[in-house]
Amino acid sequence: MVAMAVITIGVVGSMGTFRYIAASIRLSRIRTIAQNLAQEEVESLKNTPYAMLLVTTNTISDNNFDPPIVYDASNYPPSTISMWGGVPLTRAVYVSYAAPFGNDISTVSYTSTDPGLKLIRVYVLWNQDGQWRNFSLTNLLENPNVSALDATLSGRVFLDAPGTPPLPGAQVEVLGSSNWQALTDSNGNYSFNVAHGSYTVIASSTSHYTQESPLLSVPAGLTTTQDFTLTATGTGTVSSYGVYVDSDLLVSQVVADTHTLAGDGDIHDVEYVELFNPTTHSILLDDGSGLPPVQLNFLPEGGAGAGTTIPLVHVSSIVPAGSYYLISNATSFFALGRWNSADARYANLYSNVIWNGTGPSAGAVRLLDSAGNIIDGVGWSHTGSGKQAPWSEGGPVPQSGGLQAGDQIVRMSSACLSDPDYGRAYDSDDNANNFTYNPNSSAGFFTIPPGNTATAAPVVSGVPARGGWVSVDDGLSAAAPLTIRYSATAAPYNQSCPYSSFQLNGVATGTWTAIVSSGTYSQAIAGVVVTQGSTTPILNAATSPADATGFNYLPVSSQTADGYLSGTIRDGNGAPLSGIVLADGAAQTVSGATGLYFMAVSSGASTIAVNPNQKNPLYVSLSAPVSVQTGRVTAHDSTLSQGGTLAGYIANPDLSALPGIVVAATNAGSGTTGSAVADGTGHFYIQNLSTGTYAVAPVVDATQSASPASISASLASGGDSVFVGTFTVSGGMATISGAISAAGQAITTGVLVIASTEAISDPPPAVDAANSAAGVPYYAASSRTDGTYSLQVRGSTTAAYNIRAFYPIVNVITGATNYTSKYAGGVSVWPGATLSGQNFTWP
């Protein structure tokens, strides 16, 4: 009896222990199930597009817990799941905006602007043995495109002048974000919203230097102040009175006969022709082929046709850049107190070709290439005997007595100037105004000695540039054309020598680069220093390239494949617009005070942007195709109408930002259209719109709807920025939901549910990349562990859906999986609606 009592006491005690163990195991099992249910819901919500994950605005407070647990009552209402022992599990959701604060993540009120981060918290709640328990999981969903306009930039813009008055009409914008900008009011004030972060802000105004702020830290929820003081742009003038394009090898001097001592020690009738190379490269005269690339040709008085090519023996075959080349009928000769060595001599030494041996005559000396084309030459007349030059470039050298012994024809070194210190390079394609004639009786005879390859001379002229332009990259001045002017010589010849010049006014003070263009030639001049109220001639000693001669000679020597655009920019009334930016890729210029512009662009088809990005916010931007030829100027005028901006906000049904939606504006009267895409903050800015009334509407697909569908807004004047309102975009999708069960119990292993407007076969059809794009859409979802499913489809008022559920059954003996399916047809659901109760049951 005692033994039985002891055993009974032990068993009873053990039974209590087993009861507690069983309860613990049960709690652990339920907690594991709760964890799985929470994880399932978190994953489902995180697979929702960010913009479609709705923030909780209507809540339930569950007071069974201390503190109470708060969760969503509307967007994601709680659901009850009953399983394993009849303990009901309640699954609830709470979604809120979130933002990092230090090392923590804190929730943000749903009335705030979307910060780009949403916090998802899923609860599973149950009552076990009279005690309320819960399990929760928290996760985050981020939208990296969202950047809330949660901060403000403001300040004033002043003029750098006595009393620092305010500067109205100045533009202040965030560098790199042109949508974040404002114009100052009559008191110089500006203010606009930005996303919090670090920015550089710039202030600009026509005829003022742009000012840039330091990097500003702009915190959320606060106003950051940044003032600017702009200095009015000082201006000066850039000019040149000697713009020349590259020439070629030139005949620079001709002497028909000088009776002098030659290299053999005897007196001879020495004749010579001097050449000059004004280019920046050497020129080959003899390549040893027997057909020299440059030949000396003479046409006598009364001559015609090909003339006589003089055979030469070359001592030097190359003319160095900026040097002379001496051709003579003697190897060397004495003149002007020195010996002069020929670089090439006549093959028939001491023979006279130019000098006829009797008296004055007309004639012409020419340089020919190997194909017989004329490179250069000079011709002279003998008008005293009625004999005209047999050939000349332009008019003949101005003299009447013909060329005779002791006479000298010398090319000018620049327009109407002969100076032996500078290269004889002036060439306006007119012998009559490019050469001086020194007769034998002249007191100045042989004051200009002949030069050879050992004689280099600085070049201060060339071919006067005709039909060109000059521009400076100061961002203020407009381009100016090259102008032909004339210098003159005194009697008796009264020559008129053209030269190319320009005067570019209104260039901002500073150091700039000028571009001079003429035909297929161009030249960039760096280091052009402009000071207030003064004129800077170029080239000069400080520019690159530099000019140390004092002539301010400006060679335009670089070949270019560019063409040129020129025209006038006007407003809708025909008035010229100044300061309008024109751009072709990286190249840009601005229109001048008369609306005139000039710019170099790539030859061929191109696109010119006028007032790009509404640099001048009072007028629209234009983009026009143009076609230019190399070296040619193409006329292209533009008319700009006044323009402004229509802005607004695109939101989800909970008013959170919905980025990426296209918004279009249409003017029914003019047909003008514009569009923009809602940025990360949900805001859109339709810029570059002409004044008028527009219908503004989001462009949504069949899965979406907008409320309101359209808003009418007007732009009354240039520079207007009108906020049209808020559009709420709702999904055009609908939801079909129901329960999945077998033998009266929820199927927890997952059932595939497929919906389509066409019949669904069993087994389901294969869908791959080859046929999916053109096929009818299929919508699919898997049932949850609680035996329910929720399937999103495109809502429709006309088409009905066919639904088939596929239930996998595993053979526990063979391990094979077989599918059995259930079918439902004619299921209709409207956009935005939820059709519940579409259940599937297996016996």
Side-chain angles (χ1 to χ4, degrees):
M1 292 293 293
V2 172
M4 288 296 296
V6 171
I7 292 172
T8 301
I9 293 170
V11 169
V12 171
S14 298
M15 288 178 62
T17 301
F18 284 125
R19 179 167 61 86
Y20 287 115
I21 292 174
S24 177
I25 292 172
R26 188 162 173 254
L27 175 61
S28 177
R29 178 186 296 176
I30 294 175
R31 182 173 291 276
T32 299
I33 294 171
Q35 180 177 348
N36 291 335
L37 290 173
Q39 183 67 41
E40 179 185 63
E41 186 71 3
V42 167
E43 293 301 325
S44 176
L45 292 173
K46 288 199 68 175
N47 286 329
T48 304
Y50 180 89
M52 305 306 293
L53 179 64
L54 303 181
V55 175
T56 298
T57 58
N58 184 22
T59 62
I60 296 173
S61 183
D62 192 333
N63 294 314
N64 292 314
F65 300 91
D66 187 16
I69 292 178
V70 178
Y71 45 85
D72 198 307
S74 302
N75 297 328
Y76 307 101
S79 60
T80 300
I81 303 163
S82 297
M83 56 197 328
W84 287 287
V87 176
L89 304 177
T90 299
R91 183 164 57 187
V93 174
Y94 186 87
V95 180
S96 65
Y97 289 137
F101 287 89
N103 296 323
D104 298 323
I105 300 292
S106 298
T107 58
V108 179
S109 170
Y110 69 85
T111 60
S112 301
T113 304
D114 187 351
L117 190 66
K118 293 178 181 178
L119 183 144
I120 303 169
R121 182 172 287 124
V122 176
Y123 298 97
V124 178
L125 318 172
W126 71 96
N127 187 306
Q128 183 176 350
D129 299 328
Q131 183 177 354
W132 281 97
R133 303 178 184 273
N134 75 86
F135 177 86
S136 66
L137 280 180
T138 302
N139 214 314
L140 296 169
L141 184 62
E142 181 182 19
N143 182 1
N145 295 319
V146 168
S147 181
L149 300 182
D150 56 1
T152 302
L153 276 171
S154 68
R156 299 186 72 188
V157 179
F158 301 94
L159 177 62
D160 185 12
T164 57
L167 182 60
Q171 182 165 326
V172 183
E173 65 180 81
V174 172
L175 187 63
S177 299
S178 58
N179 283 334
W180 296 347
Q181 54 88 24
L183 296 176
T184 56
D185 61 19
S186 58
N187 293 315
N189 295 301
Y190 75 89
S191 179
F192 55 90
N193 293 330
V194 299
H196 67 275
S198 296
Y199 305 105
T200 298
V201 185
I202 56 175
S204 60
S205 180
T206 303
S207 300
H208 295 78
Y209 288 112
T210 297
Q211 187 178 5
E212 186 175 295
S213 77
L215 187 65
L216 301 176
S217 178
V218 184
L222 299 178
T223 296
T224 300
T225 301
Q226 177 64 44
D227 294 339
F228 297 91
T229 301
L230 301 187
T231 303
T233 307
T235 61
T237 299
V238 176
S239 70
S240 178
Y241 293 92
V243 184
Y244 297 94
V245 297
D246 247 357
S247 184
D248 206 335
L249 187 64
L250 299 173
V251 175
S252 54
Q253 187 175 165
V254 177
V255 171
D257 176 34
T258 176
H259 199 64
T260 187
L261 187 63
D264 63 356
D266 291 334
I267 301 296
H268 293 276
D269 291 320
V270 175
E271 64 183 44
Y272 62 85
V273 176
E274 177 196 79
L275 312 180
F276 185 68
N277 177 6
T279 73
T280 56
H281 57 272
S282 297
I283 297 176
L284 179 67
L285 300 189
D286 182 23
D287 57 5
S289 65
L291 186 62
V294 178
Q295 303 169 30
L296 183 64
N297 181 271
F298 176 69
L299 274 174
E301 183 178 288
T308 299
T309 296
I310 304 173
L312 300 177
V313 175
H314 293 272
V315 177
S316 174
S317 59
I318 293 176
V319 189
S323 295
Y324 294 100
Y325 191 93
L326 185 59
I327 302 173
S328 175
N329 65 347
T331 57
S332 61
F333 58 91
F334 191 82
L336 202 64
R338 72 182 191 187
W339 283 96
N340 301 276
S341 297
D343 297 300
R345 64 172 177 83
Y346 292 2
N348 188 3
L349 199 59
Y350 303 123
S351 62
N352 288 101
V353 180
I354 302 173
W355 167 240
N356 63 14
T358 59
S361 63
V365 170
R366 303 181 299 180
L367 298 177
L368 308 179
D369 64 18
S370 58
N373 300 308
I374 299 173
I375 300 172
D376 189 52
V378 59
W380 58 92
S381 299
H382 184 197
T383 55
S385 62
K387 301 294 184 180
Q388 296 298 318
W391 176 93
S392 66
E393 191 176 57
V397 175
Q399 48 79 41
S400 59
L403 190 63
Q404 57 184 317
D407 288 354
Q408 182 183 38
I409 295 175
V410 181
R411 183 180 291 273
M412 299 174 184
S413 52
S414 63
C416 285
L417 176 66
S418 293
D419 190 326
D421 293 332
Y422 300 100
R424 293 181 270 283
Y426 179 67
D427 182 21
S428 67
D429 296 330
D430 184 5
N431 293 165
N433 293 301
N434 296 164
F435 287 87
T436 59
Y437 172 67
N438 295 327
N440 186 29
S441 59
S442 171
F445 179 59
F446 274 160
T447 57
I448 300 178
N452 57 20
T453 52
T455 311
V459 178
V460 294
S461 69
V463 177
R466 299 175 184 268
W469 292 81
V470 61
S471 60
V472 175
D473 64 347
D474 62 324
L476 178 65
S477 63
L482 303 184
T483 302
I484 294 295
R485 302 179 181 227
Y486 294 88
S487 295
T489 60
Y493 301 122
N494 298 315
Q495 292 166 292
S496 181
C497 307
Y499 62 93
S500 182
S501 67
F502 66 81
Q503 182 168 305
L504 180 56
N505 299 317
V507 181
T509 55
T511 301
W512 314 109
T513 294
I515 302 290
V516 182
S517 305
S518 181
T520 59
Y521 292 92
S522 70
Q523 182 67 53
I525 304 101
V528 180
V529 179
V530 179
T531 56
Q532 173 69 34
S534 65
T535 297
T536 302
I538 57 173
L539 303 175
N540 58 55
T543 59
S544 178
D547 173 41
T549 66
F551 274 79
N552 303 123
Y553 158 66
L554 201 166
V556 183
S557 56
S558 299
Q559 286 279 353
T560 178
D562 288 344
Y564 308 99
L565 279 177
S566 177
T568 302
I569 310 300
R570 296 182 174 88
D571 65 14
N573 297 318
L577 294 176
S578 63
I580 299 297
V581 174
L582 297 99
D584 174 34
Q588 71 174 39
T589 188
V590 294
S591 60
T594 61
L596 183 68
Y597 76 92
F598 172 83
M599 67 183 303
V601 298
S602 300
S603 58
S606 184
T607 300
I608 182 73
V610 185
N611 196 32
N613 299 318
Q614 282 189 282
K615 291 284 189 181
N616 184 329
L618 299 180
Y619 297 93
V620 300
S621 298
L622 292 181
S623 182
V626 294
S627 180
V628 299
Q629 296 179 339
T630 300
R632 300 289 185 86
V633 177
T634 299
H636 183 81
D637 297 336
S638 293
T639 299
L640 299 182
S641 59
Q642 289 189 322
T645 300
L646 294 177
Y649 182 67
I650 304 295
N652 288 299
D654 64 352
L655 297 183
S656 62
L658 180 58
I661 299 296
V662 176
V663 185
T666 304
N667 185 316
S670 66
T672 303
T673 60
S675 64
V677 178
D679 62 19
T681 70
H683 294 85
F684 65 86
Y685 305 87
I686 308 176
Q687 300 176 318
N688 200 35
L689 295 174
S690 303
T691 53
T693 300
Y694 291 83
V696 184
V699 180
V700 296
D701 64 21
T703 68
Q704 299 171 311
S705 63
S707 178
S710 177
I711 297 176
S712 180
S714 297
L715 293 171
S717 60
D720 279 359
S721 182
V722 176
F723 186 85
V724 301
T726 297
F727 293 95
T728 301
V729 176
S730 302
M733 302 297 285
T735 301
I736 299 173
S737 65
I740 307 290
S741 63
Q745 296 294 319
I747 298 175
T748 61
T749 54
V751 171
L752 178 65
V753 182
I754 299 177
S756 178
T757 56
E758 69 176 10
I760 303 171
S761 60
D762 184 4
V767 178
D768 55 38
N771 61 27
S772 61
V776 175
Y778 280 72
Y779 304 91
S782 179
S783 64
R784 306 181 192 185
T785 55
D786 62 352
T788 64
Y789 76 91
S790 179
L791 176 63
Q792 282 198 327
V793 298
R794 179 174 293 178
S796 174
T797 60
T798 57
Y801 284 97
N802 301 305
I803 307 175
R804 189 178 288 275
F806 294 87
Y807 175 31
I809 301 175
V810 180
N811 188 314
V812 296
I813 298 175
T814 65
T817 301
N818 297 310
Y819 289 89
T820 179
S821 70
K822 294 291 183 178
Y823 179 83
V827 179
S828 297
V829 60
W830 287 56
T834 296
L835 176 65
S836 59
Q838 192 63 47
N839 304 326
F840 293 92
T841 301
W842 277 262

